[in-house]
Amino acid sequence: MQLNDEQKVDEAVERRRFLGLTAAVAALGLTATVSGCGSLGGDAGDVTLRLVAADYDLTGGDTTKKYWNDLVVAFEAEHPGVKVEVQIESWDDVDRKVAEMVKADKAPDIAQIGAYADYAAAGDLYAADELLSIPVQANFLAPLAAAGEHKRTQYGLPFVASTRPLFYNQSLFDDAGIEPPTTWDELAAAAGKLKDNGVRTPFALPLGPEEAQAEALMWMLAGGGGWTDGTDHYSVDSEANVKTFDWLKKNLVGKGLTGPVAPGKLNRKAAFAAFASGEVGMLNGHPSLLKEAAKKGVKVGQVPLPGIDGRAKAAMGVADWIMGFKQNGHRKEIGDFLNFAFNDENVLKFAGDNDLLPVTVSASTRMETEPEHANLRVFLKTLPDSQLPPVGKTSWAKVSENVKQNIGKAVTPAGRPAEVLGSIGRAATAAENAE
């Protein structure tokens, strides 16, 4: 029976309502245990799934490989007839290698990588509701599920996430007699006192080409803006964003509070290394930095990002993605594997081992109460209300690259934030219109 447009809308509304109810159940710790998804269909007989995944081990070890090997052994024991072959690649290579596989008509069945939108737009991926049971799909944290949508259908399944609170060097703050800031004015005042106390880089502002699009978004959100507006169209040069970069230029960069390296030349990796070495007073931090700082004896304080008049109304969230490719036709088996991978034990194991955040309501609830994850609680508090970059847009990769190369110019001595953001914004709108 063919559904008319009104019936299709009603059906979609009912499904979303059910997903919302199930998410509420999950939040109470009552999420159903899922072992397979037998109603999804698929070919009978032995099947081998190929999984390509990114390496999260920052020390060059094999913890990522061990995680997937252990998960595969457990999954195969419950699903006779299905084998999973895992290929681990570095973050430097994994996105490119998957792209090459897809271009050569040799797509993996499952890829755990940094972006999904191009594959979704090309029709290469299964939608989330073609793979996951309703309890599993409903258990994703809302902002992460929304960020996984391309044209209102979820294709990207969040794998792990993080947020970025303000990190500060507790010893440097104690020496200068200052408290952690809660507003932009307090942040600038604290940075000034750190400078007066001999701190080389009071506030590290990495707007270099490594990850400027993320650093910029954190400040935009704190200033009431963002990359997109309420209609999900680019608004790079909005009044709020221009005011934010005017403030950065005048109150931090212009007063010599961002250190000897110009923000447009400073990459996140270098900023983090300097913080871990005790040379930086404050920066917008990442969970992985906690261990590195602790190894070198730096005591790290964490507070939510300050906003103009108080705590920022929204924090930036970041997610990595896992997805199922259609090419080999293994929908049922891919679904079985992903439903298994998203149980609480597996989600918590990977997130906890890598100082990252779980992507599901039930696993997040557990992490909040388990003492071994106490250092991640400040990140967890901001994740449910976080905003992610517009990763569901196929234009975002191009826009993001433009941002990386150019947004640092907005805070140079000769830079004009309105002009720099306007140029990026016009290019973004053109790229969006070409989608």
Side-chain angles (χ1 to χ4, degrees):
M1 180 180 69
Q2 295 281 18
L3 298 178
N4 61 36
D5 290 343
E6 184 175 349
Q7 289 171 317
K8 289 179 180 177
V9 170
D10 289 342
E11 183 181 87
V13 169
E14 286 302 314
R15 178 175 179 83
R16 285 186 176 276
R17 182 178 296 130
F18 187 79
L19 288 173
L21 290 171
T22 312
V25 173
L28 295 173
L30 302 175
T31 303
T33 301
V34 177
S35 179
C37 204
S39 63
L40 291 175
D43 297 331
D46 290 351
V47 167
T48 297
L49 299 178
R50 290 188 302 137
L51 165 66
V52 179
D55 188 356
Y56 285 75
D57 195 314
L58 300 176
T59 65
D62 63 353
T63 57
T64 300
K65 181 179 180 180
K66 185 177 187 305
Y67 170 83
W68 285 113
N69 285 347
D70 290 347
L71 188 146
V72 166
V73 168
F75 170 77
E76 290 179 349
E78 291 189 16
H79 297 81
V82 182
K83 302 296 181 184
V84 183
E85 295 178 353
V86 180
Q87 177 180 339
I88 306 295
E89 298 286 350
S90 74
W91 271 113
D92 292 339
D93 299 324
V94 66
D95 288 278
R96 174 180 56 82
K97 290 197 173 184
V98 169
E100 290 172 351
M101 292 176 188
V102 173
K103 187 175 181 180
D105 292 327
K106 296 180 180 178
D109 296 288
I110 303 168
Q112 189 277 298
I113 51 179
Y116 69 88
D118 285 345
Y119 301 122
D124 294 332
L125 302 180
Y126 290 115
D129 58 8
E130 294 179 289
L131 297 173
L132 302 178
S133 71
I134 288 177
V136 171
Q137 189 180 355
N139 199 23
F140 290 129
L141 290 163
L144 305 181
E149 293 183 356
H150 174 73
K151 295 186 175 178
R152 300 184 182 276
T153 297
Q154 186 181 358
Y155 295 94
L157 313 180
F159 183 67
V160 284
S162 68
T163 59
R164 308 288 173 85
L166 180 73
F167 281 12
Y168 60 94
N169 184 312
Q170 184 69 66
S171 299
L172 296 180
F173 266 54
D174 291 345
D175 290 344
I178 51 181
E179 296 294 324
T182 60
T183 67
W184 282 1
D185 286 345
E186 290 178 5
L187 187 150
K193 290 182 180 179
L194 289 168
K195 182 182 179 181
D196 292 342
N197 216 38
V199 177
R200 190 179 185 208
T201 304
F203 193 100
L205 183 65
L207 293 174
E210 181 186 353
E211 207 191 28
Q213 83 289 354
E215 183 72 20
L217 179 57
M218 288 181 253
W219 286 99
M220 288 175 172
L221 292 172
W227 290 123
T228 56
D229 59 21
T231 64
D232 198 36
H233 293 297
Y234 288 114
S235 58
V236 179
D237 59 342
S238 68
E239 182 180 357
N241 289 345
V242 172
K243 285 183 176 179
T244 292
F245 274 82
D246 280 335
W247 187 90
L248 287 171
K249 179 182 176 181
K250 178 182 178 182
N251 295 282
L252 288 186
V253 184
K255 293 183 178 179
L257 301 177
T258 53
V261 180
K265 303 291 185 182
L266 181 65
N267 281 327
R268 184 188 71 162
K269 184 176 181 180
F272 280 15
F275 183 87
S277 297
E279 301 170 14
V280 172
M282 294 177 279
L283 50 62
N284 294 332
H286 181 280
S288 64
L289 181 55
L290 292 174
K291 281 184 178 179
E292 294 306 307
K295 287 178 185 176
K296 297 187 178 182
V298 173
K299 186 177 180 181
V300 181
Q302 305 173 54
V303 291
L305 295 182
I308 298 173
D309 299 315
R311 177 176 172 176
K313 293 180 176 60
M316 184 192 72
V318 178
D320 299 326
W321 307 95
I322 193 165
M323 62 213 71
F325 282 85
K326 291 180 177 179
Q327 182 178 316
N328 301 314
H330 296 148
R331 182 170 70 133
K332 176 186 182 303
E333 292 80 11
I334 294 170
D336 287 347
F337 182 81
L338 291 173
N339 280 308
F340 184 84
F342 281 113
N343 74 43
D344 279 358
E345 298 304 324
N346 293 328
V347 171
L348 281 168
K349 172 66 175 170
F350 194 90
D353 285 354
N354 292 282
D355 279 333
L356 292 167
L357 305 182
V359 296
T360 63
V361 174
S362 54
S364 294
T365 301
R366 281 184 53 180
M367 182 175 272
E368 285 177 357
T369 60
E370 293 177 350
E372 62 266 35
H373 303 303
N375 64 326
L376 296 175
R377 285 174 187 160
V378 68
F379 301 91
L380 282 168
K381 288 178 181 177
T382 57
L383 185 59
D385 298 317
S386 64
Q387 293 187 28
L388 279 74
V391 292
K393 292 179 175 289
T394 56
S395 58
W396 175 240
K398 184 176 182 179
V399 173
S400 176
E401 187 59 32
N402 189 6
V403 171
K404 291 178 183 180
Q405 298 301 323
N406 292 300
I407 203 161
K409 298 173 184 176
V411 296
T412 60
R416 295 178 179 272
E419 292 181 3
V420 174
L421 293 175
S423 176
I424 295 171
R426 288 188 294 274
T429 298
E432 182 177 48
N433 291 338
E435 284 184 322

